[in-house]
Each structure stands twice: as structure tokens, then as C-alpha cells.
Amino acid sequence: MNKIVPQGDINGNAAAGTKVLPGEAGCVARCCSRRGACLSAFVLLLLAAVAALIALVVILGSPPHTPGAQACVTLTNRTGFLCHDRRSCISASGVCDGVRTCPHGEDEDEALCRDVPQSLPGFLVAHCGNPASWIYSDQKCDGTNNCGDCSDEQSPVTSCPPCGPGWWRCPSTVFKYCDCIPRSLCRDRVQHCSDWSDEHSCPGP
């Protein structure tokens, strides 16, 4: 009759009568130790990679989610803001005015409007004679005294072309205008030019 020899208990310990090859027990211990060391090294490398990625994002900043602001020319030949659809061009003064004009509303984006005018791209801003004053770039040379001191219409701060066909050149007596007045104000029996040329010389609209 063959004798059955128990192989081990439930804890994996060798039972009496089980043969263990020389060096087998030491090998098992070494292998387990090596696996633990490898696992620890892998975890440390993974944590180091994550830390390096976080540091890179902090240094370089997070990637932009939207394309940068770009200039365009409006139908009235003025500097404008190109919407992200690459088709809509709105006037510079339409940016950060509280009204979403672009199809996706990027002209009122928080990052763009958080600290006007510092947060606006340079092509949207024009500076007045008073360093503390500014206007939108499409308000320069439009015939209107937007700066309050006519520096947006007159040299040496601004170099504007001559009065357009719908304007009459004269020294204006009206605060709203500078070197030109609308021809619609001519021949209305009200003085708008200091030399009265709006009533005597201007041919009218």
C-alpha cells in the first residue's frame, strides 16, 4: 500500500515529510524582497513624473483654451476684433462693453475684460494726451472729441487725415468736435465754428 504524505498546511508551511530543495526557501524570500523593491521604485518614479508635470504646468502656465485675440478691419475701415469663428469682425469699442457681440461671446471674456485697459490687446487701445486717459482704437480720428482734449484728433499726439467728405474743417466751438464738424450742422443759423464759416462758407450737407 502506498503511503500518502501531506504537502503542507493552509498557511503554506511545509508539513512533516515534505522535501524542500536546498536553497529553495532562501530563493522565495529573496524573490519576494525583490518584488517589493521593484514595486516601491515604480511608485516613486510615477510620483516623481507627476510632480515634474505639475511643476512644468505651474512654470509655463496652463495651455490656452481659446485662440489669442486678433485684429481685423471692419466694414468702416476701422480696427476691429476678430471673433473666434474667423468670420465676424466687430468694432474695437464693441469689446468689453457689456454686450456679447461675437457668436460665442468671446468679446466679453473674463480674462479679456478683467482689468481694462491693461487686459486688452494693444491694437484695441489708443492713448490720449493725458496719460491717465485712453480710448478704443476705432475712436481715434473719427471726428469726435473722445479724449476730452482733442488729442485723439489733433497733433502732436495723433496724426489724422483731412476731414472727410461729410465734414467741414473749421475751429469748432462745440466741445464734441475738434477741427471738423459734420456738414449737417452747416447753414442751420447756429454758430459751430469760431469763424462762422459753417454759416457763411460751408456749402451744407
Side-chain angles (χ1 to χ4, degrees):
M1 178 181 294
N2 295 329
K3 184 178 179 181
I4 299 175
V5 180
Q7 296 301 310
D9 59 17
I10 60 175
N11 295 319
N13 299 319
T18 302
K19 291 184 178 181
V20 178
L21 296 176
E24 185 178 351
C27 178
V28 172
R30 286 195 303 272
C31 289
C32 291
S33 177
R34 288 174 182 172
R35 287 176 185 170
C38 290
L39 182 60
S40 298
F42 176 78
V43 171
L44 289 175
L45 286 174
L46 183 61
L47 291 175
V50 171
L53 182 60
I54 293 175
L56 188 64
V57 170
V58 171
I59 294 172
L60 300 180
S62 57
H65 297 289
T66 56
Q70 295 186 20
C72 59
V73 179
T74 65
L75 295 176
T76 57
N77 201 31
R78 295 278 176 177
T79 300
F81 175 86
L82 184 64
C83 299
H84 291 167
D85 64 0
R86 312 288 298 178
R87 294 188 302 272
S88 306
C89 181
I90 67 172
S91 63
S93 53
V95 177
C96 298
D97 63 348
V99 179
R100 294 183 180 272
T101 308
C102 286
H104 301 290
E106 56 269 23
D107 55 306
E108 299 298 321
D109 186 74
E110 182 179 357
L112 187 66
C113 305
R114 69 176 180 270
D115 187 23
V116 174
Q118 286 77 15
S119 58
L120 293 174
F123 66 83
L124 292 178
V125 178
H127 295 283
C128 300
N130 180 355
S133 300
W134 68 279
I135 60 173
Y136 284 100
S137 54
D138 65 334
Q139 295 174 322
K140 182 174 66 174
C141 297
D142 66 349
T144 304
N145 182 16
N146 296 292
C147 281
D149 59 0
C150 282
S151 58
D152 56 310
E153 301 294 322
Q154 298 174 341
S155 60
V157 177
T158 307
S159 179
C160 297
C163 302
W167 297 77
W168 173 254
R169 185 174 185 83
C170 74
S172 175
T173 61
V174 183
F175 177 80
K176 183 178 179 180
Y177 305 109
C178 299
D179 289 335
C180 307
I181 64 168
R183 284 179 178 262
S184 59
L185 297 180
C186 293
R187 306 282 179 171
D188 64 352
R189 298 182 181 181
V190 177
Q191 182 184 13
H192 299 99
C193 298
S194 60
D195 58 3
W196 284 92
S197 62
D198 57 309
E199 297 300 314
H200 302 300
S201 304
C202 177

